[in-house]
Amino acid sequence: MAQAPLASMPVDPGPFDCMPDLLAAARVAPVVRIPYLGRHAWVVCDPELVRIALTHPRMEKDVSLVPDFMRKPGLMVGSQPDPEYARAMIMSDGEHHARIRRLHAPVLSPRNTERWGERVSVKVDGFLDELEQSRSADSAEVDVVTDYTHRIPLAFISEMLGLPLEAERRLRSITDVMLYSSDYPARTEAVGALFGAVRDWVRDPAPLRDGVITGFLSASDGPDAITEGEVIVWTVGMIITGYETTGSAISASLYEALRRPPEDRPRTDEEIKEWIEEALRVHPPFPHPTWRFAMEDLDLGGYLIPKGAPVQVSIAAANRGPGEEADSFDPARKGQGHLTFGLGMHYCIGASLVRLEAQIAVRGFLRRFPRARLSSDTAVQWESEWMIRRLSALPATLT
């Protein structure tokens, strides 16, 4: 077996677009090593090998496998609680994962998803009304990210969880620092603030509305009894994934629409669905989603992944065909074959809800503002590192 060659990826967040660097690293070899926290991490880049890695029985996601050097304060993997306290779905395998997924399934049932779609539509209409009012002000330019795309999932996840109304702004500021700040002490503080806020709501649910948190709290008896620690950890996970992933998907879909003339944008519901799938393919919110750990020396495509090695899969590279560059959005592809939501047992349990929110948000915006366009005065901005990527500013003129 060959040693995976070294490659470079931006591992600290900043105001730049990581995608060109991620794709350049993927062209080095099907499996590469990158310097990470003074050691190395292995990254699987070849599309077929990514599919193998996502379902490999000896490449596990158990939180207890995280090596000490990765337990750095401020890192999401380093912020995972002790498994005796609670396990998160995203860092569990086997029976632990099956149990957590089983207990989440009723929350994300088709019936609930349909019901929540109605609530998303109400919120979208309200935010669009606010944008309409801003168009009549002195300037018709808005930041679609801060004024629209990220407000939708944050408002919705807050209602879904049953959080008090004043929680939304607090959550936005905390999660932005957690995911995108290059100040690791600040990130550590933000992680503590989020866990602390959720812990307070769980221990004193009086301010909460009926929602997922109160539902989890009521399931404290029987063979699948949910502990207080699990309610806290699972709620934190839903806030991070349900908010950031959805906001990024909506932003990327509208970015690709606004940079094209109105006649080239999607019109029908089916075209909007296909457009969003292509945006998910080209702009995965988590280009390298979650950690896996080799349980033994593994041969992956002729490359050695040593026992205990931390492994990432490059969804950014796996979603693209040979020779595709960073700017490769093509509506005719319809996002076919993308792995943005994963594969196998860890396929995103909330994928249907993310898609539904995005469809409602994109359809509403394009129908309300069919001639909106990117600003000619203010530039689009990205922020990212190697595992997360989003539009941080999407200035547009609502003509």
Side-chain angles (χ1 to χ4, degrees):
M1 289 181 285
Q3 167 110 298
L6 285 171
S8 176
M9 295 183 187
V11 297
D12 289 314
F16 55 82
D17 181 4
C18 67
M19 190 59 72
D21 288 337
L22 303 189
L23 298 182
R27 288 191 288 269
V28 172
V31 179
V32 299
R33 287 177 300 139
I34 68 164
Y36 188 64
L37 301 179
R39 305 285 185 93
H40 287 104
W42 277 251
V43 182
V44 183
C45 303
D46 175 80
E48 290 309 312
L49 294 183
V50 165
R51 286 172 168 80
I52 292 172
L54 286 170
T55 57
H56 201 294
R58 301 303 290 161
M59 206 174 288
E60 297 189 4
K61 291 172 61 68
D62 195 298
V63 66
S64 64
L65 301 174
V66 178
D68 288 341
F69 84 91
M70 292 179 65
R71 296 184 182 274
K72 176 180 177 180
L75 291 181
M76 288 307 299
V77 71
S79 302
Q80 294 289 322
D82 187 296
E84 296 303 314
Y85 176 73
R87 290 174 180 264
M89 188 188 308
I90 203 168
M91 287 299 292
S92 299
D93 265 329
E95 285 302 314
H96 293 297
H97 178 83
R99 172 180 173 271
I100 299 170
R101 198 173 184 94
R102 181 170 64 248
L103 292 170
H104 278 71
V107 175
L108 298 163
S109 68
R111 177 178 295 180
N112 271 347
T113 298
E114 181 180 353
R115 176 171 60 86
W116 282 326
E118 297 171 359
R119 295 301 305 149
V120 172
S121 295
V122 171
K123 294 184 181 301
V124 163
D125 286 343
F127 293 141
L128 288 171
D129 288 343
E130 291 182 28
L131 288 176
E132 187 86 54
Q133 293 169 7
S134 72
R135 182 167 63 170
S136 62
D138 293 338
S139 173
E141 184 171 302
V142 299
D143 183 344
V144 178
V145 169
T146 57
D147 295 338
Y148 185 64
T149 63
H150 274 63
R151 294 183 69 188
I152 296 164
L154 184 57
F156 172 68
I157 197 70
S158 297
E159 178 173 318
M160 176 181 171
L161 292 171
L163 300 182
L165 295 175
E166 65 272 12
E168 292 180 27
R169 183 173 297 182
R170 185 179 180 190
L171 290 181
R172 173 73 191 265
S173 62
I174 290 174
T175 54
D176 278 1
V177 173
M178 282 178 62
L179 295 174
Y180 292 100
S181 174
S182 58
D183 183 338
Y184 282 89
R187 288 172 72 162
T188 302
E189 185 177 341
V191 170
L194 180 56
F195 271 93
V198 174
R199 183 185 61 242
D200 291 345
W201 292 323
V202 169
R203 290 181 176 175
D204 179 16
L208 300 179
R209 297 168 285 174
D210 287 341
V212 172
I213 295 178
T214 57
F216 280 153
L217 288 173
S218 68
S220 56
D221 297 317
D224 268 344
I226 301 173
T227 67
E228 177 187 277
E230 287 176 330
V231 178
I232 294 168
V233 171
W234 297 353
T235 299
V236 168
M238 293 179 76
I239 289 170
I240 295 170
T241 56
Y243 161 48
E244 185 58 40
T245 302
T246 309
S248 293
I250 300 169
S251 298
S253 300
L254 287 178
Y255 164 68
E256 293 293 354
L258 292 171
R259 66 196 295 225
R260 288 167 169 78
E263 61 270 20
D264 292 339
R265 300 172 187 173
R267 289 182 173 80
T268 68
D269 286 350
E270 187 60 29
E271 288 173 347
I272 288 170
K273 289 180 181 179
E274 294 168 352
W275 191 277
I276 290 168
E277 292 303 311
E278 179 66 1
L280 287 166
R281 184 185 77 87
V282 175
H283 302 292
F286 294 94
H288 297 88
T290 55
W291 291 102
R292 287 164 167 79
F293 302 93
M295 299 301 294
E296 59 191 48
D297 286 354
L298 298 177
D299 180 344
L300 203 64
Y303 292 93
L304 170 66
I305 298 181
K307 180 179 179 179
V311 181
Q312 279 283 0
V313 292
S314 180
I315 299 300
N319 279 355
R320 287 173 164 77
E324 269 195 75
E325 299 296 333
D327 189 5
S328 60
F329 185 95
D330 180 0
R333 287 180 179 267
K334 304 176 183 179
Q336 292 179 352
H338 77 73
L339 296 172
T340 295
F341 289 121
L343 190 68
M345 76 167 79
H346 281 282
Y347 185 84
C348 176
I349 193 172
S352 295
L353 187 55
V354 172
R355 286 183 164 113
L356 181 61
E357 286 184 70
Q359 289 160 17
I360 294 169
V362 171
R363 179 178 64 224
F365 186 93
L366 293 180
R367 291 182 179 175
R368 184 77 69 99
F369 307 110
R371 303 200 66 79
R373 65 178 189 274
L374 291 182
S375 169
S376 56
D377 300 319
T378 312
V380 168
Q381 296 176 24
W382 295 89
E383 57 184 349
S384 57
E385 39 123 291
W386 67 307
M387 290 193 287
I388 52 175
R389 176 178 182 261
R390 72 170 177 183
L391 283 155
S392 57
L394 182 57
T397 302
L398 304 179
T399 54

